[in-house]
């Protein structure tokens, strides 16, 4: 087991971000900037992460026509994030455009395709007209992402075993939806514990609220790191 821990900085406040990074950066080296933080604080927040010696994972899940995603990707690469997300439901042409744009500007950012959000279950997929099982949908989208040249995917830990079997050892699999044992009342549905996710083949696990809303974020992060070895 050698997966890395990424902490999701889902907040509106720069002060909270700075405090969390200061608390955690001795043991956490990658922080995820998603749409909430990016929209509230602007792209400068990526520099805040980097100036504190950590890497930034820019999780804006681009999903638009290929031309727009291509330009958004070029703009995102300027901030030198370690990883950037696009949404695989944008289709293979959009995914290829994202890869071409990244290559065109000579960036080393890894492009990851979000498959089916970890907050969606079978009932939610049916509601939006997707009738295959969650596993089938995720595998189909992940295979398309790999064929389009992406470096990896974001998927629930529940699909990690089949993804790892199908996509090979080198493809990056990032798994959010990590929860400690016991009930946690929030919006995540396809969850697993950190150790199980890593044993299933995750390259990185993303943990947000279980760490950031803990009274002791450092102790919680240490506990998760110990669990995943
Ligand atoms: O707080 P929590 O641990 O649920 O945070 C999970 C993070 O991972 C959030 O920032 C969310 O946007 C992100 N994410 C997810 N499911 C995906 C892709 C990203 O939960 N499929």
């Amino acid at each position: 087991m050698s997966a890395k821990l990424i902490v999701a900085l889902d907040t509106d406040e720069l002060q909270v971000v700075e405090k969390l990074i200061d608390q955690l950066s001795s043991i956490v080296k990658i922080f995820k900037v998603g749409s909430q933080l990016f929209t509230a604080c602007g792209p400068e927040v990526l520099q805040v992460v980097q100036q504190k010696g950590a890497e930034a994972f820019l999780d804006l899940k681009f999903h638009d026509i290929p031309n727009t995603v291509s330009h958004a990707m070029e703009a995102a690469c300027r901030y030198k994030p370690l990883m950037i997300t696009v949404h695989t439901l944008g289709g293979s042409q959009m995914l290829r455009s994202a890869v071409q744009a990244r290559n065109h500007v000579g960036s080393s950012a890894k492009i990851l395709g979000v498959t089916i959000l970890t907050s969606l279950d079978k009932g939610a997929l049916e509601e939006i007209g997707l009738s295959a099982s969650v596993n089938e949908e995720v595998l189909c989208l992940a295979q398309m992402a790999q064929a389009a040249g992406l470096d990896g995917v974001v998927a629930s830990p529940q699909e990690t075993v089949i993804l790892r079997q199908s996509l090979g050892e080198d493809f990056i699999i990032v798994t959010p939806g990590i929860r400690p044992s016991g009930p946690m009342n929030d919006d995540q549905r396809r969850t697993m514990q950190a150790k199980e996710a890593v044993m299933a083949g995750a390259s990185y696990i993303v943990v947000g609220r279980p760490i950031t809303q803990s009274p002791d974020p450092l102790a919680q992060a240490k506990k998760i790191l110990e669990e995943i070895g």
Side-chain angles (χ1 to χ4, degrees), residues 4-226:
K4 294 186 179 140
L5 172 63
I6 300 174
V7 172
L9 299 169
D10 293 326
T11 169
D12 292 357
E13 293 172 56
L14 201 53
Q15 277 182 337
V16 174
V17 166
E18 293 189 304
K19 189 171 170 201
L20 276 169
I21 301 175
D22 289 341
Q23 283 174 315
L24 296 171
S25 62
S26 60
I27 57 169
V28 176
K29 302 299 171 196
I30 309 172
F31 291 89
K32 188 170 85 67
V33 175
S35 53
Q36 179 186 0
L37 179 58
F38 190 87
T39 308
C41 296
E44 295 75 22
V45 74
L46 294 161
Q47 281 175 322
V48 171
V49 173
Q50 290 157 344
Q51 279 164 3
K52 288 183 179 290
E55 299 270 14
F57 171 12
L58 183 58
D59 180 27
L60 298 180
K61 303 182 180 65
F62 293 143
H63 186 178
D64 211 314
I65 60 170
N67 181 60
T68 302
V69 167
S70 170
H71 291 298
M73 181 58 65
E74 287 190 13
C77 287
R78 284 185 212 128
Y79 305 114
K80 303 195 185 326
L82 182 68
M83 302 188 278
I84 303 175
T85 52
V86 295
H87 209 305
T88 55
L89 283 168
S92 59
Q93 199 193 333
M94 188 205 84
L95 299 179
R96 281 195 302 274
S97 296
V99 173
Q100 277 163 12
R102 185 271 317 268
N103 294 347
H104 177 68
V105 296
S107 165
S108 60
K110 303 287 183 202
I111 305 182
L112 306 176
V114 175
T115 55
I116 299 290
L117 293 170
T118 43
S119 54
L120 301 179
D121 57 15
K122 172 81 181 134
L125 287 196
E126 278 167 11
E127 211 172 30
I128 54 177
L130 296 174
S131 55
S133 70
V134 175
N135 278 0
E136 284 168 335
E137 292 289 356
V138 170
L139 185 58
C140 168
L141 291 167
Q143 286 170 339
M144 181 180 71
Q146 190 174 44
L150 265 63
D151 302 287
V153 286
V154 183
S156 143
Q158 295 185 6
E159 295 99 45
T160 305
V161 169
I162 54 161
L163 291 179
R164 185 55 77 210
Q165 276 167 4
S166 162
L167 305 169
E169 285 305 310
D170 296 336
F171 205 58
I172 299 170
I173 302 177
V174 175
T175 60
I178 303 297
R179 289 294 175 265
S181 56
M184 188 151 174
N185 294 325
D186 61 29
D187 56 347
Q188 295 285 19
R189 293 291 167 268
R190 302 190 338 274
T191 63
M192 250 191 203
Q193 291 180 34
K195 186 173 181 178
E196 293 173 301
V198 173
M199 289 182 76
S203 322
Y204 297 87
I205 58 169
V206 175
V207 185
R209 289 162 288 181
I211 290 177
T212 60
Q213 294 187 7
S214 156
D216 188 345
L218 181 62
Q220 193 62 31
K222 273 186 183 157
K223 193 168 159 239
I224 291 173
L225 281 171
E226 275 161 22

